[in-house]
Amino acid sequence: MTQEWDAGRLDSDLEGVGFDTLAVRAGQHRTPEREHSDPLFFTSSYVFRTAAEAAATFAGEIPGNVYSRYTNPTVASFEERMAALEGGEQAVATSTGMSAILATVMSFCSAGDHVLVSKSVFGSTISLFEKYFKRFGVDVDYVPLAELSGWDAAIKPNTKMLFVESPSNPLAELVDINALAEIAHAKGALLVVDNCFCTPALQQPLRMGADVVVHSATKFIDGQGRAMGGVVVGRSELMKEVVGFLRTAGPSLSPFNAWLFLKGLETLNIRMRAHCQSALELAQWLEQQEGIEKVHYSGLVSHPQHALAKRQQKAFGAVVSFEVKGGKDGAWRFIDATRLISITANLGDTKTTITHPSTTSHGRLSPQEREAAGIRDSLIRVAVGLEDVADLQADLVRGLAAL
């Protein structure tokens, strides 16, 4: 954008507007072409009028784009919109959700620092901490997600960060974010919350005291299983470190994927309401079926943290996990008998998916690590899409008949 251009009334006045309006309009700054939809900038570099202007832009003395590994207008629009929805000062987009976690830890931790991680996190997150961060001198311990006393007791003088998923993948466990933030801050540590399963439509951890929020935008932010991406959100002073890591290491989000995510955010709230309504109906139905030993979904009154979920979230999410009779063999027979639902480990799609976590998303963990995370061989995860619930139930009946 040239410094001379002033969009004026062409840009929307967003002072005091609501969540849905921000999801549709935040972050868009119209160009001299006066486009209505978000523009897509396919370019690796940017040109300058003079050498002096180039030097000042690269030095950060004047605003402007310098290189798309670092800044791109389409990516910047997505970042601004995500920051607005999460209630953060600044967001930094990354190439994947895992690179968002990588950028966060690399930005705030050094060799000799200690990190506390929930036992109930995604399998690849555990692998990242165990196989890579530990290799470079970061001390890592794991704590049961919901046990606040355990978090407090496990903090050391060199603890730099507490990292959680709430709700967790795939068991829908929660932690009291407000209370955990107080524990972290009392000991001088940062609280990082993976908000992938809720999205800001259901939960805004920064408003509950968290310091940093991370997302796999690949999931519900996109909403249609089209693109890979991630994002880190927090205070500007913290995000400066993440920007520096991104600029140097380069796990950057592509402009096209950022554009897809902008389109996804426009329907985020209405999609999440529909996902959650269907997931609750399906979870309640599953709880009544013979052959189902246990259903994990915080929207159920039987869930041990149902009251916390009602207080902390606007709804209960789209992921329903359940344990079936027959262990791994039973779970595989159940999955193989379905004919409508997609067998894939992705989630957050309009299409419902089904997977066996202990041999897919958590398959690289040792049996001991899976046991610690509560991932049993009998567990099946269903990420509920936007199909008719009656059709999903009919397909799951096929699975039940195979037990």
Side-chain angles (χ1 to χ4, degrees):
M1 188 72 63
T2 64
Q3 295 180 55
E4 290 82 0
W5 168 248
D6 180 6
R9 175 60 183 85
L10 297 180
D11 284 352
S12 300
D13 182 356
L14 300 179
E15 182 69 29
V17 302
F19 183 94
D20 283 341
T21 304
L22 291 173
V24 171
R25 293 184 176 269
Q28 183 172 7
H29 304 285
R30 290 187 171 87
T31 76
E33 300 299 332
R34 304 181 180 219
E35 69 283 341
H36 188 227
S37 184
D38 299 277
L40 178 54
F41 287 86
F42 277 136
T43 183
S44 58
S45 64
Y46 306 85
V47 297
F48 306 94
R49 291 180 177 82
T50 66
E53 183 185 52
T57 307
F58 268 78
E61 296 169 359
I62 60 174
N65 298 298
V66 296
Y67 194 59
S68 279
R69 185 182 74 240
Y70 178 35
T71 56
N72 175 278
T74 308
V75 176
S77 292
F78 170 62
E79 292 171 333
E80 189 173 334
R81 191 170 298 178
M82 281 299 306
L85 295 179
E86 281 287 5
E89 293 178 354
Q90 186 176 352
V92 182
T94 63
S95 57
T96 65
M98 291 309 301
S99 66
I101 298 172
L102 173 69
T104 299
V105 178
M106 293 293 286
S107 297
F108 303 127
C109 296
S110 303
D113 286 337
H114 178 238
V115 178
L116 287 176
V117 182
S118 163
K119 289 183 177 180
S120 305
V121 293
F122 179 48
S124 292
T125 302
I126 294 175
S127 295
L128 184 60
F129 279 97
E130 283 293 303
K131 295 182 180 180
Y132 299 101
F133 291 140
K134 280 188 173 182
R135 183 189 302 176
F136 290 96
V138 176
D139 185 20
V140 182
D141 286 313
Y142 297 90
V143 181
L145 177 61
E147 296 179 12
L148 293 173
S149 60
W151 288 99
D152 194 31
I155 293 178
K156 302 176 181 179
N158 63 331
T159 301
K160 194 67 174 287
M161 177 186 296
L162 279 59
F163 185 96
V164 301
E165 290 175 13
S166 184
S168 69
N169 177 18
L171 298 177
E173 294 178 285
L174 291 85
V175 68
D176 186 325
I177 295 173
N178 267 312
L180 189 58
E182 291 179 1
I183 290 171
H185 297 159
K187 302 293 181 66
L190 298 173
L191 174 59
V192 179
V193 177
D194 185 329
N195 198 31
C196 176
F197 273 32
C198 272
T199 81
L202 305 185
Q203 174 177 270
Q204 296 167 317
L206 297 177
R207 299 189 189 280
M208 292 184 275
D211 299 287
V212 177
V213 165
V214 297
H215 284 277
S216 171
T218 309
K219 310 302 190 295
F220 296 103
I221 299 300
D222 174 30
Q224 297 186 51
R226 301 169 295 187
M228 306 284 284
V231 65
V232 186
V233 191
R235 299 189 301 275
S236 294
E237 62 182 281
L238 293 174
M239 293 303 101
K240 287 178 182 177
E241 295 294 328
V242 184
V243 170
F245 176 80
L246 188 79
R247 182 173 189 169
T248 304
S252 309
L253 181 65
S254 81
F256 182 71
N257 288 6
W259 184 82
L260 289 174
F261 296 151
L262 284 165
K263 298 295 104 181
L265 286 174
E266 291 180 0
T267 60
L268 176 64
N269 206 15
I270 193 168
R271 283 189 290 105
M272 292 308 295
R273 287 200 297 267
H275 281 299
C276 294
Q277 180 179 340
S278 295
L280 178 59
E281 186 174 342
L282 204 64
Q284 291 171 334
W285 175 82
L286 280 166
E287 207 172 30
Q288 305 303 314
Q289 304 308 305
E290 186 176 349
I292 303 296
E293 296 186 327
K294 187 174 184 179
V295 180
H296 302 272
Y297 187 69
S298 64
L300 296 173
V301 176
S302 60
H303 191 282
Q305 295 174 295
H306 178 65
L308 175 61
K310 287 179 66 176
R311 184 173 79 246
Q312 194 161 267
Q313 302 169 194
K314 293 181 181 178
F316 305 107
V319 177
V320 179
S321 294
F322 52 94
E323 297 173 40
V324 298
K325 294 179 179 178
K328 174 185 171 182
D329 290 342
W332 278 22
R333 288 197 304 272
F334 186 107
I335 292 169
D336 289 349
T338 60
R339 290 294 178 267
L340 172 69
I341 299 171
S342 306
I343 304 176
T344 179
N346 194 33
L347 58 94
D349 203 317
T350 54
K351 300 177 180 68
T352 298
T353 67
I354 189 168
T355 193
H356 183 240
S358 71
T359 54
T360 58
S361 60
H362 293 70
R364 289 187 295 167
L365 302 183
S366 69
Q368 294 77 17
E369 289 170 331
R370 287 197 297 273
E371 180 63 28
I375 309 300
R376 299 182 177 88
D377 286 344
S378 59
L379 186 71
I380 294 171
R381 187 192 74 191
V382 171
V384 182
L386 300 180
E387 304 96 337
D388 288 336
V389 176
D391 294 330
L392 298 177
Q393 291 173 343
D395 202 32
L396 294 178
V397 165
R398 297 184 180 106
L400 289 166
L403 292 176

